[in-house]
Amino acid sequence: MNPPSKIVCVGRNYAEHARELGNTLPPEPLLFLKPPSALIGDGDAIVLPRASERVEHEGEIAVVVGKRMKRVSETEAVEGIAGLACANDVTARDLQRKDGQWTRAKGFDTFCPLGPRVVPLRELPPLDQLEIICRVNGEVRQRGRSGEMAFPIPALLSYISRIMTLEPGDIVLTGTPSGVGPLVAGDVVEVEIPGVGVLRNPVVAGDL
Ligand code: MG
């Protein structure tokens, strides 16, 4: 797979998660970018940077774009989806708070596990009936449903396409449900979307 031109992420898209970090739901989707250099695949290690003392998991439903999207309707947006994958929006929570913007906290190498494969929508439950589960060392930490999203997937894609053209291969991370928590060296973190599969990544310490 060629690297995407961009990874667009949505913050605070589940009310309970917004609450657990002391935030309210935004009136419009809250967008940020992760660099494509952060991508790793299933089985690859998440490397904890020494610059952070608190790295957290955020299990998310990832949309992989299949067609160029510029100012698309919600219907056109759904038609332009190549498929879904599991993602982990790994975040250095301390640096996110300290920096005031999120580029460093969200952008370290290995901070965007994605996989284990891209599954087309025809093989999956409807977009508003997906489940997302995140486990650490086998213990469930996060469990959410796409139906709980403040901004559902078609609305998100349409909204983003009015700001930046989405290109084939681009990835959209659709936000995380409540239950985010720390990762330490030796952990194994799993993100599962039933029908898509399980994305599994070990966590290791040290600079790259
Ligand atoms: Mg996130």
Side-chain angles (χ1 to χ4, degrees):
M1 200 164 91
N2 288 328
S5 75
K6 53 195 167 295
I7 303 166
V8 188
C9 307
V10 182
R12 299 171 196 164
N13 201 23
Y14 292 79
E16 250 188 80
H17 168 64
R19 243 191 320 272
E20 76 180 340
L21 294 182
N23 300 305
T24 52
L25 283 179
E28 291 179 292
L30 174 63
L31 303 183
F32 63 95
L33 296 169
K34 279 170 104 80
S37 48
L39 277 173
I40 57 173
D42 182 41
D44 295 338
I46 297 166
V47 180
L48 302 175
R50 291 187 198 282
S52 171
E53 289 175 358
R54 177 123 183 153
V55 173
E56 296 191 346
H57 56 82
E58 294 190 0
E60 306 203 5
I61 297 168
V63 176
V64 180
V65 173
K67 286 184 194 161
R68 187 164 227 253
M69 296 191 202
K70 186 178 174 70
R71 301 193 149 272
V72 293
S73 67
E74 294 188 14
T75 307
E76 291 166 332
V78 173
E79 288 165 1
I81 295 174
L84 303 183
C86 309
N88 196 337
D89 175 21
V90 181
T91 302
R93 196 69 68 200
D94 50 351
L95 303 183
Q96 183 184 30
R97 294 206 169 97
K98 184 175 167 188
D99 289 354
Q101 51 83 20
W102 303 358
T103 304
R104 180 166 68 141
K106 300 280 192 176
F108 284 97
D109 286 358
T110 77
F111 270 27
C112 193
L114 185 86
R117 59 204 179 101
V118 180
V119 179
L121 298 188
R122 64 176 180 275
E123 296 176 20
L124 293 171
L127 275 179
D128 60 352
Q129 290 171 40
L130 299 160
E131 203 183 350
I132 173 88
I133 303 149
C134 181
R135 287 181 292 265
V136 178
N137 304 326
E139 186 182 306
V140 174
R141 295 274 186 87
Q142 298 182 269
R143 188 186 286 277
R145 301 199 138 272
S146 56
E148 300 163 1
M149 289 181 181
F151 303 99
I153 289 170
L156 284 177
L157 295 177
S158 175
Y159 179 84
I160 294 166
S161 80
R162 283 159 211 280
I163 300 161
M164 58 190 90
T165 303
L166 289 166
E167 302 288 355
D170 281 357
I171 295 159
V172 177
L173 266 53
T174 58
T176 200
S178 62
V180 299
L183 293 171
V184 298
D187 283 346
V188 174
V189 58
E190 293 175 325
V191 180
E192 177 173 9
I193 302 170
V196 173
V198 180
L199 168 69
R200 188 177 289 110
N201 298 93
V203 180
V204 303
D207 280 317
L208 294 173

